Amino acid sequence: IATAYEDTEAHKPHPAPLVHGAEALGFDRPSTVYVGDAASDLIAAQAAGMDGIGVTWGAGLAATLREQPSVAVVDSMDELHRVLLGTPIVNQ
């Protein structure tokens, strides 16, 4: 199932795109985690009733992400993995 920018009239930080995506995938919003690299992602996640995790690689600034409501802001894939799954990535 693909969703696109055009699927909602409102865009992030409005929650409509996240709500649309969760509904299209059959996800229960309170059980959904949205991972994003911008403050608008975390604002939209909170407004949609989802947990949000900010990642510091990408469009946003780490300090700005840390100012937003979120479950966590992480600086690496290993940290993201630990937050999501509670276990470290095993290096191969």
Side-chain angles (χ1 to χ4, degrees), residues 25-43:
L25 294 168
F27 292 166
D28 176 47
R29 284 187 281 145
S31 301
T32 301
V33 177
Y34 188 77
V35 178
D37 66 351
S40 61
D41 295 324
L42 299 178
I43 294 166

